[in-house]
Amino acid sequence: MLAAMPHRFDALHESDLRERPLYKWRRFADDVLPMWVADMDYPVAEPVRAAIRAYAEGELFGYGPPGGLPGVREAVVERLETRFGWSVPLEAVRIIPSTVAGLFTAAKAFASRGDGVVSLTPVYPPFRMAVERQGRTFQSASLAEHEEGFRLDPEALEEAITPATRLLMLCHPHNPTGRVFDRGELDALAERVLAHRLFVVSDELHADLNHGPTHVPFASLGPELARRTVTLYGPTKAFNLAGVKGSFAICEDPSVLDRFEQAAFGFAMSAPNVSQLAAAAAFRDGDPWLDDTLAYLRGNLDRLAEAVRTELPGVRMHRPDATYLAWLDFRDTPLADDPAGLLLERVRLGLNDGPSYGAEGRGFARLNVATSRALLDEAIARMARALADGRGAAAT
């Protein structure tokens, strides 16, 4: 039987990656293998590089027009239609500097100090930061864990909502669990949004990183939801452009979009010209790169899932529907008290700390598989060693 041909990402070497002056590889000491923050180690798509080279050689260094450079918002509209079947008018799209800036803006725009903002937890830490650091009240509705994975718990959501709740902050696809909410779950969310007259900010930054389930934009469920929802979308996760920044806020109600823009004034306005051009190039010409990258990521997820079954006793993982992030459950292992801390201390492996995503994250850690297969194998070997050492320590 012929061996599989090596993939170009297999050629990534730790020594070369450590030469990059990037946060992923510089946060920890040099003996730590960093598998944490949501950056890929992969080289960026050539059409994006070409767009950035053309920018550097051109004359677009002045202020861009308020609505963005020509063709940029058009590229977003085209992508939403072709990728997700969601038709939005051009005037519904605004350019913002980042998705996190969009979260902070939404909390400021749609909730006053002391008002409630509800989210499905565990959740990406900036959700809570955007709420609490601006004097709003974070309200947690825990996801329910089932045999097939994490799902919306409508009763928990209803219980979390109070008369003071003004905004639902939705992470869809969900970070850190990797859940792509299905139509039934989205309809249940929509029912409660409309019943309680909530606004919604839906972070759909990982929508292009699906591994099977169809992504349904929340705002596409109906005209009333479209009027109440600001969707945050961009290329930074799917096309590995976190350092280039740039995102988009989409809402079909001009008055709601104006409210969002007023809240953004002075701190979350537009994005650099180079970011806009990179986004347009990614959306229009980057899908061959993305498809190849997704195939490699799925292979890495297969490898990790196999290791959880056969090499990492006590560890559990629900295979993510989307993203390149694995939410690893160490609650039935000797590392349960502090998985990320103990893995860092014992085997020099750097993962995201589960409790930073909320109380539901105790006993969990998040691992980023967007690296070479060899480095993923090394991370698995380190986890296996820490689990074996833990059993020995427990026995004594």
Side-chain angles (χ1 to χ4, degrees):
M1 184 176 179
L2 293 175
M5 291 290 291
H7 191 281
R8 58 198 175 95
F9 295 161
D10 291 335
L12 293 169
H13 293 291
E14 182 178 349
S15 59
D16 297 326
L17 294 170
R18 289 196 183 278
E19 291 297 316
R20 299 177 181 178
L22 297 176
Y23 191 36
K24 178 178 181 181
W25 285 90
R26 296 296 175 92
R27 177 186 176 186
F28 298 105
D30 288 347
D31 64 336
V32 174
L33 180 62
M35 306 283 283
W36 65 294
V37 71
D39 264 352
M40 300 186 197
D41 288 331
Y42 308 143
V44 170
E46 181 54 33
V48 176
R49 292 178 179 274
I52 293 173
R53 284 194 296 267
Y55 168 80
E57 295 168 0
E59 300 297 338
L60 295 179
F61 296 95
Y63 291 116
L69 293 174
V72 174
R73 290 187 302 148
E74 288 83 352
V76 177
V77 169
E78 291 167 11
R79 184 163 191 84
L80 295 175
E81 173 67 45
T82 58
R83 194 88 177 177
F84 310 114
W86 182 28
S87 298
V88 300
L90 186 65
E91 57 270 20
V93 180
R94 295 292 185 273
I95 300 171
I96 59 174
S98 72
T99 299
V100 170
L103 295 174
F104 273 77
T105 300
K108 180 181 177 184
F110 304 119
S112 300
R113 295 187 68 85
D115 283 345
V117 179
V118 67
S119 192
L120 307 180
T121 51
V123 74
Y124 180 51
F127 277 60
R128 183 182 291 271
M129 294 175 189
V131 175
E132 294 182 340
R133 293 187 182 184
Q134 298 186 100
R136 282 69 174 160
T137 301
F138 187 85
Q139 299 169 316
S140 176
S142 298
L143 293 172
E145 187 176 8
H146 297 266
E147 185 175 346
E148 70 275 14
F150 292 89
R151 295 184 60 86
L152 170 70
D153 183 340
E155 292 183 3
L157 176 60
E158 187 66 37
E159 185 176 330
I161 295 170
T162 72
T165 309
R166 301 288 179 264
L167 175 68
L168 167 66
M169 298 183 86
L170 178 62
C171 193
H172 170 51
H174 188 261
N175 176 8
T177 69
R179 173 73 180 166
V180 173
F181 298 112
D182 64 30
R183 184 59 187 259
E185 291 168 294
L186 295 176
D187 284 342
L189 277 172
E191 179 182 341
R192 282 152 182 83
V193 165
L194 296 177
H196 294 282
R197 300 191 59 77
L198 304 180
F199 290 101
V200 181
V201 59
S202 183
D203 171 3
E204 304 191 10
L205 194 61
H206 290 89
D208 287 299
L209 291 166
N210 277 23
H211 303 303
T214 300
H215 176 81
V216 179
F218 186 72
S220 71
L221 295 179
E224 179 60 23
L225 290 169
R227 288 189 288 269
R228 306 191 69 83
T229 301
V230 175
T231 302
L232 305 178
Y233 175 69
T236 53
K237 295 307 178 190
F239 292 95
N240 200 26
L241 298 173
V244 179
K245 297 291 187 182
S247 190
F248 302 92
I250 302 140
C251 181
E252 297 184 51
D253 186 316
S255 66
V256 174
L257 196 54
D258 181 67
R259 186 168 169 177
F260 180 88
E261 287 191 298
Q262 291 298 317
F265 187 81
F267 83 97
M269 300 164 62
S270 197
N273 294 346
V274 65
S275 304
Q276 297 180 39
L277 295 171
F283 288 156
R284 285 191 165 139
D285 301 310
D287 277 345
W289 178 93
L290 179 60
D291 292 342
D292 181 57
T293 298
L294 282 170
Y296 193 84
L297 290 172
R298 288 164 190 156
N300 276 1
L301 288 170
D302 287 343
R303 171 68 184 107
L304 181 59
E306 176 193 24
V308 166
R309 288 193 302 270
T310 62
E311 300 169 52
L312 304 176
V315 178
R316 295 190 302 140
M317 178 188 83
H318 299 293
R319 186 188 175 93
D321 299 325
T323 80
Y324 44 80
L325 307 168
W327 188 233
L328 298 178
D329 182 353
F330 291 88
R331 289 176 295 179
D332 291 334
T333 77
L335 309 181
D337 288 344
D338 182 13
L342 291 170
L343 287 167
L344 179 62
E345 174 188 332
R346 295 180 181 180
V347 294
R348 313 306 284 161
L349 179 64
L351 306 185
N352 285 95
D353 180 47
S356 68
Y357 298 84
E360 301 88 345
R362 293 192 182 98
F364 288 80
R366 196 190 75 172
L367 183 149
N368 175 356
V369 304
T371 190
S372 70
R373 196 69 45 81
L375 287 177
L376 177 60
D377 282 341
E378 174 62 22
I380 291 167
R382 293 189 189 201
M383 287 189 286
R385 192 162 72 247
L387 290 166
D389 291 347
R391 287 200 304 275
T396 60

